[in-house]
Amino acid sequence: MKLCIALDMPTMQDNLALAREISRSFSNEEIWLKVGLRSFVRDGKAFVCMLQDLGFKIFLDLKIYDIPNTMLDCVYECHKLGVNMLTIHASCGREAMRALATFTHTQSLNMRIVAVSALTSFDEDGFMEVYNTSIARGVQSLANLVNESGIDGLVCSINEVSLIKNISSNLLTITPGIRLTATNDDQKRVANVKEAKRVGSDFIVVGRPIYNAQDKYAVIQQILSDM
């Protein structure tokens, strides 16, 4: 299991300060950094390069969702940026995912592509409203598509990790919504680190519990200990 720290703070300076603090205190091999939409739109490629200069592997979380050709063009540009992992939406469909998988394999790109299954902000009612099925059935269907298409894995809550691993143990599972204590925020399907480890998550994504903490070092150390 790897810890991926989400850099979603209000300014690039805040995010860089945290990244530098992490790089001074922890091994770059055990921690990845996630750059999401907010940070990438605001701070762009230059910000990604600054993080890479600190020695971190980068998870670029753009959740790409478009027609196959447009997604291919975007994946190529992300590859040129040298990121290590990239998100798309599994609901883009078989044609798009198969095209992306074929492209990355034939070009031997050193970048994992993982597909978002059900956003962790969805509860059962919200997912049913959009997908007309339960979360479990929807994720199972999407995971089968991902596996058949050759994409590397899925982003999911810990509730779906076992379901996905039963389809293929080779599928990576990336689990956001990790909380250290009970919270009342926009994430509906949350879990703690030990639960994620128990079900077999490959990556856990943690943001607010770290950067909202007074002692960020202690929180990261506790997460790594629980892992």
Side-chain angles (χ1 to χ4, degrees):
M1 180 190 283
K2 297 285 187 182
L3 168 60
C4 187
I5 297 178
L7 300 179
D8 295 326
M9 288 186 282
T11 71
M12 182 175 73
Q13 289 71 28
D14 289 336
N15 286 328
L16 279 175
L18 176 58
R20 287 168 180 150
E21 183 179 347
I22 295 166
S23 70
R24 289 191 295 267
S25 304
F26 299 96
S27 164
N28 294 336
E29 291 301 313
E30 59 187 348
I31 295 177
W32 290 39
L33 298 180
K34 181 178 86 73
V35 177
L37 278 172
R38 180 188 195 184
S39 295
F40 193 71
V41 169
R42 182 187 62 218
D43 305 321
K45 295 191 291 185
F47 175 56
V48 173
C49 292
M50 292 176 195
L51 300 176
Q52 290 169 327
D53 287 342
L54 292 173
F56 287 105
K57 291 184 178 179
I58 304 301
F59 174 21
L60 187 58
D61 185 21
L62 300 184
K63 299 180 179 71
I64 302 164
Y65 189 174
D66 213 307
I67 63 173
N69 191 61
T70 300
M71 292 181 72
L72 273 170
D73 289 341
C74 185
V75 166
Y76 178 64
E77 294 301 326
C78 292
H79 156 66
K80 289 198 298 183
L81 187 53
V83 301
N84 304 93
M85 190 154 63
L86 175 71
T87 50
I88 64 172
H89 267 287
S91 51
C92 70
R94 186 191 306 273
E95 180 184 354
M97 288 194 288
R98 184 166 287 170
L100 297 182
T102 299
F103 174 70
T104 57
H105 295 159
T106 56
Q107 298 297 316
S108 299
L109 302 189
N110 187 27
M111 178 178 68
R112 298 167 176 170
I113 297 179
V114 293
V116 175
S117 56
L119 295 168
T120 49
S121 58
F122 273 127
D123 58 15
E124 285 290 349
D125 291 340
F127 192 82
M128 177 67 72
E129 186 175 42
V130 175
Y131 293 96
N132 198 35
T133 190
S134 68
I135 291 174
R137 289 179 180 176
V139 171
Q140 184 173 37
S141 176
L142 291 170
N144 277 314
L145 273 180
V146 167
N147 188 46
E148 293 163 7
S149 301
I151 295 296
D152 295 296
L154 293 101
V155 181
C156 62
S157 82
I158 72 150
N159 300 338
E160 296 89 46
V161 171
S162 296
L163 181 155
I164 291 167
K165 293 294 188 180
N166 284 338
I167 291 172
S168 173
S169 60
N170 292 324
L171 287 171
L172 294 174
T173 51
I174 294 85
T175 51
I178 300 298
R179 297 290 184 262
L180 307 186
T181 59
T183 61
N184 182 23
D185 58 28
D186 59 330
Q187 300 280 42
K188 304 292 195 309
R189 291 162 23 252
V190 301
N192 63 40
V193 179
K194 291 181 179 179
E195 289 171 324
K197 179 180 179 180
R198 177 180 57 80
V199 298
S201 297
D202 297 294
F203 288 81
I204 56 170
V205 181
V206 187
R208 282 170 279 190
I210 292 173
Y211 58 73
N212 288 338
Q214 286 189 327
D215 189 342
K216 298 175 178 59
Y217 174 89
V219 172
I220 295 172
Q221 190 64 55
Q222 182 61 55
I223 293 170
L224 293 175
S225 176
D226 288 346
M227 288 166 56

